[in-house]
Amino acid sequence: MNNSFFAVLYRMRYIERWALMRATEKENLSEHSLDVAILTEALINIANIRFDAKLDANLGSNLALYHDVPEIITGDLPTPIKYHDEIMENAYKKIEKQAIDRLLDKLPEDFKDIYKEKFEENADYEPYIKAADKLAALIKCIEERKAGNNEFKLAESQARNHISLELPAAKVFITEFLPAFELTLDEL
């Protein structure tokens, strides 16, 4: 037993996202996970305040922190490849499950159940984490466009189309909070 789970988690900062894109600002998995956790908390707070949901925003944001941890082992597979077809998607899910098992093996036995829960799909929170993940991608695309990088134009359009607008909280975020991401620092 080497108890290296937390040391491995710290390697998230070395996993680069958007590897196929020419970005003006690099983004790593650690930064992305924080963004998704913040956005998940925001979406759950919107759902609780505006739509009388009864969800724990702290739990949701905590689960979001771990949503891409298997990528420490698998790397960040670009979305067009990961979801190319059902065969690719199922193969990646299998690889991701193996990565989670490898990560959990880096914990002492009495810690495994606590951390295993962070990797299990939770039907109550998963729609918020997925929407936050898409929002984080959209915000990244907006930032790149604002920096004059047209490389992210199509990705921005696709991200807008893939955010689940069936999730009322996502609609509220897009309408009320997303426009501020178009502003400059002085305008903020």
Side-chain angles (χ1 to χ4, degrees), residues 13-71:
R13 66 187 71 195
Y14 302 121
I15 308 298
E16 196 173 301
R17 293 182 43 78
W18 303 95
L20 297 178
M21 308 287 278
R22 183 177 39 82
T24 60
E25 185 74 29
K26 299 290 183 194
E27 180 184 50
N28 66 50
L29 188 58
S30 187
E31 294 164 331
H32 169 72
S33 295
L34 175 63
D35 292 344
V36 174
I38 290 168
L39 291 167
T40 298
E41 180 185 37
L43 292 174
I44 291 171
N45 284 332
I46 291 167
N48 287 342
I49 293 167
R50 299 275 178 90
F51 303 104
D52 203 32
K54 303 288 187 237
L55 296 170
D56 181 346
N58 291 324
L59 174 59
S61 63
N62 188 265
L63 293 171
L65 281 173
Y66 289 82
H67 84 284
D68 275 344
V69 164
E71 290 182 10

Side-chain angles (χ1 to χ4, degrees), residues 17-178:
R17 293 182 43 78
W18 303 95
L20 297 178
M21 308 287 278
R22 183 177 39 82
T24 60
E25 185 74 29
K26 299 290 183 194
E27 180 184 50
N28 66 50
L29 188 58
S30 187
E31 294 164 331
H32 169 72
S33 295
L34 175 63
D35 292 344
V36 174
I38 290 168
L39 291 167
T40 298
E41 180 185 37
L43 292 174
I44 291 171
N45 284 332
I46 291 167
N48 287 342
I49 293 167
R50 299 275 178 90
F51 303 104
D52 203 32
K54 303 288 187 237
L55 296 170
D56 181 346
N58 291 324
L59 174 59
S61 63
N62 188 265
L63 293 171
L65 281 173
Y66 289 82
H67 84 284
D68 275 344
V69 164
E71 290 182 10
I72 296 167
I73 293 173
T74 68
D76 180 32
L77 192 62
T79 298
I81 296 168
K82 191 185 300 186
Y83 300 109
H84 174 71
D85 60 29
E86 192 175 329
I87 294 169
M88 286 293 289
E89 191 173 347
N90 290 334
Y92 186 75
K93 284 180 182 177
K94 185 176 178 182
I95 291 167
E96 195 173 48
K97 168 74 172 92
Q98 291 172 353
I100 290 167
D101 291 343
R102 282 182 57 194
L103 287 165
L104 292 172
D105 283 342
K106 297 180 182 309
L107 284 165
E109 283 302 318
D110 54 341
F111 281 68
K112 285 184 182 180
D113 286 343
I114 293 169
Y115 286 91
K116 185 178 182 185
E117 290 176 6
K118 296 179 187 301
F119 298 109
E120 293 172 351
E121 224 172 89
N122 183 315
D124 292 335
Y125 294 93
E126 199 63 31
Y128 296 92
I129 295 168
K130 286 185 187 295
D133 195 32
K134 298 293 183 198
L135 279 170
L138 176 56
I139 291 166
K140 168 67 174 164
C141 293
I142 290 169
E143 289 174 346
E144 288 290 333
R145 176 178 40 79
K146 284 174 47 182
N149 185 358
N150 288 326
E151 180 86 8
F152 283 74
K153 252 172 113 171
L154 181 58
E156 180 179 351
S157 172
Q158 290 172 337
R160 282 186 193 279
N161 292 335
H162 285 101
I163 294 172
S164 176
L165 294 180
E166 292 92 46
L167 191 66
K171 255 187 212 177
V172 170
F173 190 93
I174 289 169
T175 303
E176 296 184 28
F177 297 100
L178 190 65

Side-chain angles (χ1 to χ4, degrees), residues 4-12 69 72-73 103 106:
S4 61
F5 179 80
F6 300 105
V8 171
L9 289 187
Y10 262 71
R11 310 225 25 111
M12 289 172 69
V69 164
I72 296 167
I73 293 173
L103 287 165
K106 297 180 182 309

